[in-house]
Amino acid sequence: KVLEEANSIAEKIAIFNQEDKNPYHQIKKKISEKNLKHIVTVARGTSDCAALYASYLFAKTLGLTTYSLPPSIITLENSHFDFSNTLVVVISQSGLSEDLVKCEQASRKMGAETLILTNNLNSPMINHANYFFNINAGKEESVAATKTFVLSLLNIVKLVAFVSNDNEILNNLPQLPEHINTELSEAWDPELIDNNISSGFIISRGLGYALSTEISLKFKELCQEQIEPFSSAEVMHGPRSLIENSFKLFTLSLNDSSGAGV
Amino acid sequence: KVLEEANSIAEKIAIFNQEDKNPYHQIKKKISEKNLKHIVTVARGTSDCAALYASYLFAKTLGLTTYSLPPSIITLENSHFDFSNTLVVVISQSGLSEDLVKCEQASRKMGAETLILTNNLNSPMINHANYFFNINAGKEESVAATKTFVLSLLNIVKLVAFVSNDNEILNNLPQLPEHINTELSEAWDPELIDNNISSGFIISRGLGYALSTEISLKFKELCQEQIEPFSSAEVMHGPRSLIENSFKLFTLSLNDSSGAGV
């Protein structure tokens, strides 16, 4: 089931590309008019990994600082934030998590505009939020929500490309499903990995670090292996002493300025 | 050495209490006049755990959103942030890390006011930054900088207590060394813990989660054990499936609203 759903990602992206009506232009307008200056993300689990990816991209490409708000700060504490000029981005596959619904409502009361990314057209949040992005990943039944994760990233990349007028990315999106299918045919052999070792690190940096947080979750959920994500800069400050023979060490190096340091 | 330095914390706090000349009032004035509305932290390793603690406390107590900026966004990317009305807080025991020195300079160029918390009176940053907090932990020689970590938290708690007029905390600070010495005499027996198990989670929430990130680093650096910090809310989204017999599970429950959920 997991593999079946993961293998359908290219097809889902093709459907997304055809049906996408997300209001990127409305958000672009607000940002260019300086009505939105700050971005706050609220999410859990896999969606929080997508939110971390978004925060690197917003910072790096748009120069907007992005704050990841632990939902408990709103649901457990009586916090009062000045959320004027702030876009609160809630990412939720189900669109139903009670604490995220509460965060969306409380954020609007504190002056925020809110954007919901969800895979569920019946989420109560899409009627209340200022903006709604349909992740459009199709029904997800396996535990590790890879389809939803990848489609969430695509929503975010497309938003950032629209706001920054990056036509190269926008023009290449139609070819993305084809690229993914090519990659699938060049999959590496999992037999290479020693099954007897169940702990380790995955080391990366920048946008790659955000991706490695989701890969770490996948190792935990699907392989019962504790592969902890670490920034290549942070790992030198102590955790390095853990690395020994019975330890897996993965690196994820992206083809950007962060990749050289990994 | 590690134990010796940890045991000297109460004494260092007493010295800090006597000698403290940190400019809490100047920052309080800027925040109350709304000249500082946003807080950004920049740090590495143990200091980054202190920065996470600070961000929960700024959010919870002062209603200021706090963004933890990965230094690479400034040192590797050509990011341009609008840092007006923003306080960039750099925490660095040595005060010498090249990437943090660069971040401090770049932040001021982008319009930020900067605050340096450092344990080194010879750091170049203290001459350039707008504000300088002397952590005043004394010389730290052991690998796990526990003294500096605890004194950094004290600097942060004192700042937040000043800004929020929390006289109860401020009046109780002189008794803190005595409380710590009482706690030391009630230390638990480390023999209780199974030495053959070297992986696990430490589960907490809110401010406790920030503390557990530092405890996790200590397990790695001093015990060569991979004890990964997890929020009690996040652990239900997948990682729970890892928990089995040969797995250590610690919980850290604070006596505040976050404690009930752990």
Side-chain angles (χ1 to χ4, degrees):
Chain A
K1 193 81 192 163
V2 172
L3 190 63
E4 197 182 298
E5 294 199 331
N7 282 337
S8 74
I9 288 176
E11 179 198 330
K12 296 301 170 190
I13 292 176
I15 295 172
F16 174 84
N17 279 341
Q18 273 193 328
E19 300 185 351
D20 182 21
K21 294 193 179 70
N22 291 340
Y24 308 104
H25 286 293
Q26 290 180 35
I27 294 174
K28 178 184 179 172
K29 190 162 175 283
K30 291 274 180 178
I31 292 175
S32 60
E33 288 169 354
K34 308 239 178 218
N35 289 324
L36 292 177
K37 290 179 175 183
H38 313 290
I39 294 182
V40 168
T41 62
V42 184
R44 289 263 186 233
T46 286
S47 297
D48 207 27
C49 300
L52 185 63
Y53 183 89
S55 69
Y56 274 99
L57 212 55
F58 289 140
K60 183 178 148 140
T61 310
L62 305 182
L64 296 175
T65 53
T66 308
Y67 172 65
S68 168
L69 194 73
S72 64
I73 288 284
I74 286 186
T75 56
L76 294 183
E77 316 288 349
N78 273 326
S79 302
H80 295 286
F81 297 110
D82 173 1
F83 270 161
S84 51
N85 304 120
T86 300
L87 178 69
V88 172
V89 180
V90 181
I91 309 181
S92 171
Q93 130 123 339
S94 75
L96 297 174
S97 307
E98 208 185 316
D99 55 351
L100 298 183
V101 173
K102 270 193 203 166
C103 284
E104 192 280 322
Q105 291 172 334
S107 299
R108 261 184 297 111
K109 278 193 194 149
M110 293 188 271
E113 303 212 20
T114 57
L115 162 65
I116 311 305
L117 273 80
T118 181
N119 204 23
N120 178 5
L121 294 178
N122 295 316
S123 162
M125 287 192 274
I126 72 176
N127 299 314
H128 300 143
N130 300 87
Y131 311 99
F132 155 53
F133 278 14
N134 185 357
I135 296 176
N136 206 354
K139 198 171 174 184
E140 181 106 47
E141 285 174 349
S142 63
V143 173
T146 304
K147 266 193 320 177
T148 315
F149 178 71
V150 174
L151 270 292
S152 300
L153 298 194
L154 181 56
N155 277 256
I156 290 157
V157 168
K158 210 165 162 181
L159 172 61
V160 170
F162 263 106
V163 175
S164 61
N165 297 312
D166 190 330
N167 289 320
E168 194 184 337
I169 287 181
L170 295 174
N171 292 336
N172 279 305
L173 283 180
Q175 281 86 54
L176 184 57
E178 197 185 311
H179 286 303
I180 288 178
N181 280 327
T182 310
E183 292 294 325
L184 278 177
S185 67
E186 290 169 7
W188 52 280
D189 181 2
E191 301 289 325
L192 290 171
I193 306 289
D194 185 341
N195 274 321
N196 297 316
I197 302 176
S198 65
S199 63
F201 291 161
I202 175 166
I203 294 177
S204 195
R205 207 167 178 192
L207 278 169
Y209 174 71
L211 296 176
S212 71
T213 62
E214 169 64 9
I215 295 171
S216 164
L217 267 183
K218 289 278 186 293
F219 271 113
K220 293 189 174 84
E221 291 179 324
L222 298 174
C223 314
Q224 275 71 53
E225 294 190 5
Q226 186 178 8
I227 309 297
E228 193 175 347
F230 256 96
S231 142
S232 58
E234 288 292 344
V235 84
M236 305 303 287
H237 289 246
R240 194 172 53 152
S241 65
L242 258 186
I243 300 168
E244 48 170 71
N245 285 335
S246 59
F247 199 79
K248 282 181 180 166
L249 199 58
F250 298 91
T251 57
L252 176 65
S253 169
L254 301 195
N255 186 18
D256 67 5
S257 57
S258 75
V262 176
Chain B
K1 193 83 196 163
V2 171
L3 190 63
E4 195 182 300
E5 294 200 329
N7 282 337
S8 74
I9 289 176
E11 179 199 330
K12 297 300 171 191
I13 291 177
I15 294 173
F16 174 83
N17 280 341
Q18 272 192 328
E19 300 185 352
D20 182 21
K21 294 194 179 67
N22 291 339
Y24 307 105
H25 286 293
Q26 292 180 32
I27 294 174
K28 178 184 178 173
K29 189 162 175 282
K30 291 274 181 178
I31 292 175
S32 60
E33 287 169 354
K34 307 235 180 226
N35 288 325
L36 293 177
K37 290 180 174 181
H38 314 291
I39 294 182
V40 168
T41 61
V42 184
R44 289 263 185 235
T46 286
S47 297
D48 207 26
C49 300
L52 185 63
Y53 183 88
S55 70
Y56 274 99
L57 211 56
F58 290 140
K60 182 179 151 143
T61 309
L62 305 182
L64 296 174
T65 53
T66 307
Y67 171 66
S68 170
L69 193 74
S72 64
I73 289 283
I74 286 186
T75 56
L76 295 183
E77 315 287 348
N78 273 324
S79 301
H80 295 285
F81 297 111
D82 173 1
F83 270 162
S84 50
N85 305 120
T86 299
L87 178 69
V88 171
V89 180
V90 180
I91 309 181
S92 171
Q93 130 122 340
S94 75
L96 298 173
S97 306
E98 207 185 320
D99 55 350
L100 299 183
V101 173
K102 269 192 202 167
C103 284
E104 193 280 324
Q105 292 172 334
S107 298
R108 261 183 298 112
K109 277 194 194 149
M110 292 188 272
E113 303 214 19
T114 57
L115 162 64
I116 310 306
L117 273 79
T118 181
N119 204 24
N120 179 2
L121 294 178
N122 295 315
S123 162
M125 286 192 274
I126 71 175
N127 299 314
H128 301 143
N130 299 89
Y131 310 99
F132 155 53
F133 278 15
N134 185 359
I135 296 176
N136 206 354
K139 199 170 175 186
E140 181 107 47
E141 285 174 350
S142 63
V143 173
T146 304
K147 266 193 319 176
T148 316
F149 178 70
V150 174
L151 270 292
S152 300
L153 298 193
L154 181 57
N155 276 259
I156 291 157
V157 167
K158 209 165 162 182
L159 172 63
V160 170
F162 263 105
V163 176
S164 61
N165 297 313
D166 190 330
N167 290 319
E168 196 184 337
I169 287 180
L170 295 175
N171 293 335
N172 279 305
L173 284 181
Q175 282 85 55
L176 185 56
E178 197 185 313
H179 286 303
I180 288 178
N181 280 327
T182 311
E183 292 294 325
L184 278 178
S185 66
E186 289 169 8
W188 53 281
D189 182 3
E191 300 289 325
L192 289 170
I193 306 289
D194 185 341
N195 275 321
N196 298 314
I197 302 175
S198 65
S199 63
F201 290 163
I202 175 164
I203 295 176
S204 195
R205 206 169 178 192
L207 279 169
Y209 173 70
L211 296 176
S212 71
T213 60
E214 170 63 10
I215 296 171
S216 164
L217 267 184
K218 289 278 185 293
F219 271 114
K220 293 190 174 84
E221 291 179 323
L222 298 175
C223 316
Q224 275 70 53
E225 294 190 4
Q226 186 178 11
I227 309 297
E228 192 175 349
F230 256 96
S231 142
S232 59
E234 287 292 345
V235 83
M236 306 304 287
H237 289 246
R240 194 172 53 152
S241 66
L242 259 186
I243 300 169
E244 48 170 72
N245 286 336
S246 59
F247 199 78
K248 282 181 180 165
L249 199 59
F250 299 90
T251 59
L252 175 66
S253 170
L254 300 196
N255 186 20
D256 68 4
S257 57
S258 74
V262 176

